[in-house]
Amino acid sequence: MNIAVIGTGYVGLVSGACFAEVGNRVTCVDVNQDKIDKLKEGIIPIYEPGLEEMVLRCHKHGDLQFSTSLKEAIQNVEVVFIAVGTPMGDDGSADLTYVLGVAKEIGQAMKKELIIVDKSTVPVGTAEKVKAAIAGELASRGADIPFHVVSNPEFLKEGNAVRDFMYPDRVVIGADSEEAAKKMKALYGTFTFNHDRVITMDIKSAEMTKYAANCMLATKISFINEIANICERVGADANKVRLGIGSDGRIGYSFIYPGAGYGGSCFPKDVNALIKTSRDYGYTSRILEAVDQVNQDQKKLIPAKVVKRFGEDLSGMTFGLWGLTFKPNTDDMREAPSITLIKELTSRGAKVQAYDPEGREQSEGYYLKDVKGLEYCESKYDALKGAEAMILLTEWKEFRSPDYIEMEKLLKNKVIIDGRNQYDPEAMKEWDWEYHFVGEPGENA
């Protein structure tokens, strides 16, 4: 099938590459000429395991092309995916400027029947706005060209996106046209060949499904963090409580790991967008508001542990930080807990020596660009030289089994402050390490 994907960000590039991988002819479009030029040269703008190899392979075979011209890209295709950004506005709403801008451009350029697919995460009712934008442009041209708007939300986990796309646990298709639904099911047939995982529904339900899924996962994270904070006060161990409740099949172990709060491009934005949508319809989403507030407070927890241990004034002190990105296997720094930590510690006079396998470029170039007192290191052990303590905020694999003897040589104190509960408290105690973690018994008794 011939496809155009508008937007070469995280969702667009992964979707385009995976569709091309199974033999579809795909053109990825972006207004950023520099990005398109780099993609043509094999330079991938994001880090995602397996993506670079797939893009290079598909581009070499001719199944994946890149262009800045939407008009040219949609002339010989059957399906157009809109995968542009929907950044969070000041009021928490999803900004549809780019989505509707693309819709208008499609209406201005299309010459034959098309299926237009909302792949971006968008609020309920967006498909109607996309449809109206396209219809308006066609009317202004005096053109009578049929088209169908479909909602096909993505459920990709950063760090595992390629596998998630190639082997989906479900494909949600929201359509008000049987013809469009059949075409979409055929497009995804290769990915669901062994087991039919395609779920068709009305458009608004499909749009809502994406938000409901992410908000449910965010709720589990804030819930376990709330439990961990209670554990610290009553003397219980949050790690043991997690095991006790996770063994219940109705609850499960996924997304109930106490930590420093969630980040990234999805959960914070989607929770706030659904809160805003609820308000727009006269409803107060009390659970989601609490989920967001707990998460904002949770990002302050690790800085508070540092201050409790080392004092309000951190002048002259150095801390070694392992992990910048909001999760492992990505270079994404959006809403990362490390941003809160670094700004808080440096504002108190501390120096932070940070190491992350992939996050330095985004941190140094944008998110923490002007922060004084932040130094980037080439290895995890370099980050510990002369530091008062090691602070862990991202659970990269290379941090799981460190050389504690080497760490003891480099650190001033045998102190670990763990924002992801990666280590065994009993082992830390046996090895004579001072170990602080999320949900530590009696920490705030």
Side-chain angles (χ1 to χ4, degrees), residues 39 51 90 108 133 143 174 184 391 409:
L39 283 168
L51 180 61
D90 293 336
Q108 294 164 4
M184 291 297 293
I391 304 170
K409 292 177 182 178

Side-chain angles (χ1 to χ4, degrees), residues 82-245:
I82 300 177
V84 294
T86 54
M88 183 168 64
D90 293 336
D91 61 355
S93 63
D95 186 346
L96 298 178
T97 301
Y98 302 120
V99 171
L100 297 181
V102 169
K104 288 181 179 179
E105 195 171 348
I106 291 172
Q108 294 164 4
M110 62 185 293
K111 294 181 180 180
K112 67 183 189 67
E113 183 174 1
L114 290 175
I115 295 174
I116 295 94
V117 183
D118 283 335
K119 196 68 175 171
S120 303
T121 300
V122 292
V124 177
T126 298
E128 293 176 346
K129 295 179 180 179
V130 168
K131 188 174 183 178
I134 295 172
E137 295 300 326
L138 289 174
S140 68
R141 292 167 50 194
D144 183 17
I145 305 173
F147 67 94
H148 313 274
V149 176
V150 170
S151 174
N152 173 221
E154 53 86 13
F155 299 98
L156 307 177
K157 298 185 293 292
E158 290 194 50
N160 201 51
V162 171
R163 181 170 180 79
D164 285 346
F165 199 103
M166 299 299 291
Y167 306 98
D169 49 19
R170 83 280 210 194
V171 175
V172 172
I173 296 170
D176 56 11
S177 158
E178 186 176 343
E179 177 185 348
K182 286 182 178 179
K183 180 79 74 172
M184 291 297 293
K185 289 185 74 172
L187 178 59
Y188 278 102
T190 302
F191 305 100
T192 60
F193 182 77
N194 292 329
H195 180 71
D196 186 7
R197 295 177 175 87
V198 177
I199 304 171
T200 56
M201 58 183 72
D202 62 277
I203 293 174
K204 287 187 175 181
S205 294
E207 291 172 330
M208 185 65 178
T209 296
K210 169 63 175 181
Y211 280 103
N214 277 353
C215 288
M216 181 70 245
L217 297 175
T219 298
K220 292 185 73 174
I221 294 172
S222 283
F223 172 79
I224 197 61
N225 283 335
E226 188 93 300
I227 294 298
N229 293 335
I230 297 172
C231 285
E232 291 195 354
R233 287 156 177 80
V234 303
D237 186 329
N239 292 323
K240 294 175 181 176
V241 173
R242 179 187 69 81
L243 293 173
I245 66 174

